[in-house]
Amino acid sequence: MLVMVWSGLLIYWANDVYKIGWGDTTLVKFFPKSFYQALNVPFKLSQGMAFHFLFMWLFFINGLLYVLYTFFSGEWRLLIPEKKSFKEAWQVVLHDLHLKRGLPPQEKYNAAQRVAYSAIIVMGLGSLLTGLAIYKPVQFSFICAICGGYEFARILHFSLTIGYVLFFLLHIVQVALAGWNNFRAMVTGLEVIKDAAPATVITAVKEQFTIESTKNEGKVEDKETTTNETEK
Amino acid sequence: MKTNWENREFSTDEKSFKKATVQSFIVFSLLFLAGGTAWLWLYQQPKTADNVQPALRAGYVANERLFSKFYSASKESKSFTKEEAVKKVRVNGNVGVGNDFKPDNWILKVAKKPGDTLLITLDDIKALHKTEVIFDFKCVEGWSQVTWWGGVRFGDFLKKYNLAAQSAMNYCGMVTPDGKYYVGNDLPSMLQPQTLLCYEMNGKSLPNNQGYPLRLIIPVKYGIKHLKRIGIIFFSNEKPRDYWAEQGYDYYSGL
């Protein structure tokens, strides 16, 4: 994921026309010159394309394995939003912003997590489709048409990437706030439940996620795909 | 009601829990490190003469092998109307189209085989059936423009000059008269019905900076493959030299 975002940035630089604003007013320009220079981006278009079109396979295979795993393990039942999840997700957001006390009851993931972790899969699929639309717009012209044409597909592809970066940043903040126990659970797949019984005995909840599911590049996306946050 | 999730509780002692935790963190860190090292190795791999790391070039070639299977000459780049074509066509490069060019001396050279070269004038080409193509011209940089071109279908040209044997080869190479810009394209893409030996833009003769008198338009490829000002055309089974492929870009560059 990190390599895809980085190489995508090297490509985007060559035609960096996107901005948020109206008329002659620019609110946010993607991206300022200093940003490019800090990340050593300029004049690396060919490098970007070479990396992008190789690592797209890793992105695809990793995503596919994750989806297959959640499907066959039954984990998807804990991840897919339920009818009430969208309403409850809002309550979780208010709670996390300290605007509301108390949380709706939850299983492994809270409602906001269910929505977010399912949305990221849909986004991943979106990146694959919009990517294919701009990679082979003639041979896969129907995909290009579904994505709203060549130029619009590029805008979608770019917007999804901004989405991942925001997701990642929020994710890091949430993990930091949730604390060590939670982070340990994300990595080990074991969560400690404090036991009233003798102090030497620990009751652990074995999650089906194990470290094996991070078998790939070990990049940032691994943490996302194996997230097991639980607040008990 | 107990859910599956809650059923997965089990008891363990502190020692084995600690062991499991340490093991997990070691594996996690190693995978993280392995990922970083793999990327660094790839990034720092010395580039070959074609300006890209060998492993990344292998990636390009593997993608070409896969995606050329999806190639079909019947799939055309989307057509537009003349009104949709831009009036001001972007000029993105001038390699091979320098100002020292003498139009009066120009003649198209088609190398049939070593020692057998056809010489063809612009009027000869204009005498052939004219085809117009209005399509979204796409650049590797990420921009695109709807542009309107006129010329002779490359397939028609080959037929007219009895180049059937040549059209059975793998590649067609082109070089500018000054030798500074050169491309190679696979024959299936060259024979796609929108591929033109082009002498008109927006209904008028090509301007100098668009490759007067004759250029290539090949809508199933990125702009880097649309050579301006053709001097020599030749055919081969090996990949001809390609200006931007030598700068680290994908040789195939198919859309």
Side-chain angles (χ1 to χ4, degrees):
Chain A
M1 187 78 213
L2 183 63
V3 174
M4 286 310 276
V5 173
W6 163 73
S7 57
L9 184 64
L10 299 187
I11 297 171
Y12 173 73
W13 170 85
N15 186 36
D16 60 337
V17 288
Y18 301 148
K19 58 180 187 170
I20 298 175
W22 54 91
D24 292 331
T25 316
T26 301
L27 213 57
V28 189
K29 161 136 177 64
F30 299 108
F31 293 93
K33 216 173 171 180
S34 54
F35 174 81
Y36 289 131
Q37 271 157 2
L39 294 175
N40 192 21
V41 169
F43 302 106
K44 292 214 167 53
L45 170 62
S46 67
Q47 274 286 291
M49 291 176 88
F51 271 98
H52 212 67
F53 300 145
L54 182 62
F55 279 78
M56 65 182 184
W57 291 108
L58 189 66
F59 179 81
F60 168 60
I61 292 164
N62 183 53
L64 188 69
L65 288 179
Y66 172 70
V67 170
L68 287 177
Y69 170 77
T70 48
F71 183 76
F72 286 108
S73 67
E75 285 282 320
W76 65 274
R77 286 191 193 88
L78 300 169
L79 282 159
I80 222 94
E82 296 163 311
K83 242 184 196 167
K84 58 180 184 185
S85 295
F86 296 96
K87 204 174 137 198
E88 287 185 5
W90 180 241
Q91 295 173 330
V92 174
V93 171
L94 290 178
H95 168 265
D96 288 357
L97 292 172
H98 301 284
L99 295 172
K100 186 177 168 291
R101 275 170 189 277
L103 278 168
Q106 66 173 71
E107 291 177 51
K108 186 172 172 182
Y109 302 109
N110 67 40
Q113 285 176 307
R114 278 175 182 263
V115 172
Y117 299 160
S118 297
I120 203 85
I121 297 305
V122 177
M123 286 166 70
L125 188 65
S127 285
L128 285 176
L129 284 177
T130 53
L132 201 53
I134 44 184
Y135 184 50
K136 301 288 167 191
V138 181
Q139 305 314 320
F140 300 122
S141 53
F142 59 100
I143 297 177
C144 194
I146 291 168
C147 298
Y150 185 73
E151 305 238 326
F152 192 66
R154 189 177 186 255
I155 293 175
L156 288 177
H157 199 69
F158 178 82
S159 309
L160 284 166
T161 308
I162 297 295
Y164 295 129
V165 174
L166 295 179
F167 180 100
F168 177 71
L169 293 177
L170 185 65
H171 188 68
I172 293 292
V173 170
Q174 289 282 43
V175 171
L177 289 176
W180 168 247
N181 240 345
N182 170 69
F183 181 62
R184 182 172 57 191
M186 282 171 64
V187 175
T188 61
L190 299 169
E191 197 206 12
V192 176
I193 299 172
K194 289 227 170 68
D195 220 3
T200 49
V201 178
I202 289 171
T203 307
V205 178
K206 190 170 181 353
E207 299 182 357
Q208 289 220 334
F209 280 105
T210 60
I211 196 70
E212 270 82 46
S213 61
T214 65
K215 227 184 255 168
N216 64 16
E217 275 293 298
K219 291 262 152 45
V220 282
E221 89 270 31
D222 304 337
K223 284 192 286 176
E224 283 163 24
T225 53
T226 56
T227 298
N228 305 306
E229 286 169 280
T230 317
E231 290 166 25
K232 291 253 160 139
Chain B
M1 193 185 78
K2 276 203 160 193
T3 64
N4 276 340
W5 163 235
E6 283 159 337
N7 285 341
R8 273 185 246 129
E9 280 185 22
F10 70 98
S11 288
T12 181
D13 60 81
E14 195 157 9
K15 207 174 151 196
S16 55
F17 176 77
K18 264 193 180 151
K19 203 176 146 199
T21 303
V22 169
Q23 278 175 350
S24 294
F25 268 89
I26 288 173
V27 175
F28 180 77
S29 313
L30 283 179
L31 283 170
F32 211 85
L33 262 169
T37 312
W39 175 81
L40 204 65
W41 171 79
L42 203 53
Y43 190 68
Q44 293 184 336
Q45 207 182 22
K47 292 179 183 177
T48 41
D50 57 0
N51 259 304
V52 70
Q53 295 87 337
L56 297 181
R57 177 63 72 189
Y60 277 148
V61 172
N63 281 331
E64 170 178 348
R65 208 168 293 154
L66 175 71
F67 285 103
S68 59
K69 285 195 174 53
F70 291 93
Y71 174 82
S72 155
S74 63
K75 288 182 201 149
E76 297 196 354
S77 190
K78 193 181 163 197
S79 290
F80 294 81
T81 64
K82 284 173 188 171
E83 288 69 41
E84 288 172 292
V86 295
K87 296 282 166 294
K88 213 174 160 231
V89 180
R90 185 161 168 172
V91 177
N92 219 50
N94 53 13
V95 183
V97 282
N99 288 327
D100 51 347
F101 175 66
K102 302 211 169 44
D104 296 341
N105 298 341
W106 183 87
I107 193 154
L108 178 66
K109 296 183 183 121
V110 181
K112 290 176 80 172
K113 51 189 167 206
D116 183 4
T117 302
L118 286 174
L119 298 177
I120 302 167
T121 66
L122 187 59
D123 288 336
D124 292 338
I125 291 165
K126 283 185 174 172
L128 301 176
H129 175 73
K130 185 167 123 182
T131 301
E132 295 200 292
V133 172
I134 305 155
F135 79 107
D136 192 23
F137 185 102
K138 299 171 189 75
C139 177
V140 280
E141 293 176 349
W143 55 268
S144 69
Q145 244 186 359
V146 175
T147 44
W148 166 25
W149 310 91
V152 178
R153 260 191 200 137
F154 192 68
D156 292 350
F157 174 82
L158 293 183
K159 262 185 222 136
K160 165 74 186 167
Y161 287 96
N162 299 316
L163 295 163
Q166 283 73 15
S167 68
M169 297 181 97
N170 294 339
Y171 293 97
C172 172
M174 291 183 174
V175 186
T176 53
D178 64 6
K180 287 186 181 158
Y181 199 91
Y182 36 86
V183 296
N185 282 302
D186 53 285
L187 245 302
S189 301
M190 289 298 290
L191 293 172
Q192 201 261 7
Q194 291 173 302
T195 302
L196 304 181
L197 292 180
C198 160
Y199 49 80
E200 274 183 6
M201 183 181 86
N202 286 339
K204 293 185 205 98
S205 180
L206 279 181
N208 253 325
N209 59 17
Q210 291 288 352
Y212 177 86
L214 191 70
R215 69 169 296 174
L216 177 66
I217 286 295
I218 181 162
V220 292
K221 301 282 185 190
Y222 277 124
I224 50 173
K225 291 287 194 178
H226 301 227
L227 178 133
K228 294 174 189 169
R229 190 171 293 156
I230 307 169
I232 304 165
I233 300 178
F234 63 98
F235 302 86
S236 79
N237 281 325
E238 286 74 51
K239 284 179 172 171
R241 280 184 72 191
D242 189 279
Y243 184 87
W244 286 106
E246 288 175 4
Q247 307 290 318
Y249 288 84
D250 178 21
Y251 192 97
Y252 186 63
S253 288
L255 293 169

